[in-house]
Amino acid sequence: MHRSRKARRQPTPKPTSGKPRTVRSVLWILPVAAGLVLAGFVVYGIRHGPAAPNVLLITLDTTRADYLGCYGRAHPRTPHMDRLAREGARFLRCSASVPLTLPSHASIMTATYPYVHGARRNATNRVAEGNVTLAEVLSNAGYTTRAVVAAMVLDHKFGLAQGFGAYRDVVAHTEGDPMEAQRPGDEVCNDAIEILRAAASQRFFLWVHFYDPHYPYVARRPGPASPAEAYEDEIAFVDAQIGRLMQELGNLGLEKRTLVVVVGDHGEGLDQHEEWQHGYFVYETTLHVPMIFWGPRWIPEARVIQAQVRTIDVAPTILALLSQPPLTAAQGVSLTPLLSGDAQDLELSAYSESLEAHSQLGLSPLRSWCVNGWKYILAAEPQLYHLVTDPAETKNQITEQPELAARMREQLRELIAEAPPPLSDQETAVSLSGADLARLRSLGYVGEGAGDTDQGETELDKFEPHGADPRTFTRTIRDYEEARQAIGHGQYPRAEEQLRKVVKALPDAALPLGDLAHALSQQGKLEEAIRLYQQALAQEPGAAHLHVTYGQVLLAAQKLDEAAAQFTAALTAMPDNVVVLQNLGIALSSLGRFDEARGYFERALEIEPENIRLLHGMGVFYVRQNKLAEAAEMFRRALRIDPNQPRVRDDLQRVLRAMGQ
């Protein structure tokens, strides 16, 4: 299904109330909330008469609220964020929509839930152009828009760059180096300060993303440190960078002209609920995030807001404070009535989801719904918690409160029933090179999933949970996370050890079988790897990434016809994937089918004309046909891009000698 950009921008009513009544019955709140937004802006905009401010949006990756002093941390190490909270407004109960970096940031920027904006998982989807972002609205309003991100999972190819005049990705300076997938906070801060200085005389919107608290944590204290201590060190390090940014605002005379918003994208498990990192569950450890608004002329001092809010409310609130038109399809609302004191509670409900256990391991997807201090988790074995008296979610009250659970389940179902039609593959497709996948794996991201093939189904079709409950497999999920980390760092024997345990626990999960096959192939155990790839593809024949990695193993084993068949199968789902095109070209040229092979090589070069590996491969292709002049030109093109390529230089010299030069 294809929907135009204009069609995607049409507003659709979304429920916002947290009261235990049906979702559709609360739609009357929206016009009332809009009126309160206007009232709030009157209080903090027109009354004091400031010009529209600059906006500095700071997003904190993997940051739990309870690790900040302003959220009750004993012996706090976050003086700069604590200062912003003390001088501005702090939201005590802010919920992220998903415990993953790209989907959560997409929700922040579009004010919509993942099932609307379409970027459901890291590295497998992109934010479709049909979405309207905060940056687009501000750019249209004349703001200079700039962004600095710290992890490649937010690179421009994943769709969040729309609306930004400049967008600083994480650039790999070394071809295919998997470790160059993130940047430390001080480098990010240096870039942001440079941008602030350049934009000081303009109205600007600057988004700065800090990634440091993401695993693996770097301890910044002398002596040994526990994982939790190293995690806290990382948060303290980010806080110091925020202090640098605030100091620069002061140096440039911008403090009184800038609205500063600090918000987390998700938290971290830290072994609570037996979750090591994040992404697989929907507990408060990974969904409760800090949110602070600061601006001396727009935000009241020392405002502490206890009402339920969501990260999807960030963009609507910023736009209201700037007196800009709202995002037409927003599910979030402006929180200015809470900032102004005109309302104590907007009675908002909060939706969150996690599809990781389903997509990767075939377990039940998870959805949660927070209403009036209660939290319902829809899973194969549903859960119900009273967050007011049980914030750590230790007592499941599903049997004690069956009527409340049933009512919340129905509210959640009605929310999903309002979902627009699903986005098409073309709208959310993202093409990644082999180097991109290696860099993503170094961050612990999978970048593919066997459960991503539910095309044609509506969100409501997928509402009923199917598959075993992830809580039953917490140890297996931990083993799988450790295996993926090991693969990302080239530790294949360790990955094999962990993956054998995962496959034993979940023999029908195709993705771990494929990962085990990959780990075995990297150790030269090709026969077992081939058998496991066949088993995985029998379980999930539509998994394109399995066709790719299996084809690469077959290519290494010189099973050329079979390799070409696998790459051809992958090309159906990934028509613009350069890795697939190049490998298919290699397989066909090795079979002597040069005309077919050339077409795939040329198509790949049209997509990535400066891909050094591709240019080198094309040169080798010409050598095989004894077309030495063409080969030399390919090698020269590669060396003009990067002269420090010894293999390319040696091949060029051999070709030139053969040509008598």
Side-chain angles (χ1 to χ4, degrees), residues 10 149 177 298 307 314 343 361 377 424 427 518 541 592 650:
Q10 297 308 308
V149 300
D177 184 354
W298 294 272
V314 170
L361 301 172
I377 298 177
S424 68
E427 288 175 290
H518 175 68
D650 291 346

Side-chain angles (χ1 to χ4, degrees), residues 387-542:
L387 297 179
V388 178
T389 59
D390 181 25
E393 297 164 287
T394 60
K395 180 175 174 51
N396 183 5
Q397 299 195 40
I398 199 77
T399 56
E400 291 89 339
Q401 299 282 350
E403 292 182 2
L404 175 60
R407 194 157 58 243
M408 293 182 71
R409 186 185 193 281
E410 181 59 23
Q411 291 173 6
L412 178 55
R413 187 183 185 281
E414 292 195 13
L415 172 79
I416 299 304
E418 297 286 344
L423 294 160
S424 68
D425 284 340
Q426 290 79 13
E427 288 175 290
T428 61
V430 60
S431 181
L432 301 177
S433 67
D436 285 339
L437 289 171
R439 293 169 69 208
L440 285 165
R441 288 183 184 126
S442 77
L443 299 178
Y445 294 125
V446 175
E448 62 262 345
D452 299 335
T453 56
D454 301 326
Q455 294 300 317
E457 292 185 306
T458 68
E459 197 65 22
L460 189 59
D461 291 334
K462 298 180 282 187
F463 179 75
E464 296 296 338
H466 51 284
D469 197 298
R471 286 194 303 167
T472 310
F473 293 93
T474 54
R475 180 64 254 181
T476 302
I477 290 171
R478 174 69 173 261
D479 290 337
Y480 190 55
E481 285 186 292
E482 291 179 357
R484 296 298 309 202
Q485 293 283 349
I487 287 175
H489 292 86
Q491 299 166 356
Y492 297 109
R494 172 63 175 162
E496 177 189 348
E497 176 188 355
Q498 296 299 98
L499 286 166
R500 289 196 185 278
K501 292 188 284 186
V502 176
V503 168
K504 182 178 180 180
L506 295 168
D508 296 328
L511 189 57
L513 279 170
D515 287 330
L516 178 55
H518 175 68
L520 291 169
S521 70
Q522 294 300 306
Q523 300 175 75
K525 303 176 183 179
L526 296 187
E527 287 189 15
E528 186 180 3
I530 289 172
R531 178 177 60 79
L532 289 175
Y533 272 124
Q534 292 171 342
Q535 185 180 341
L537 282 166
Q539 294 174 359
E540 198 69 43

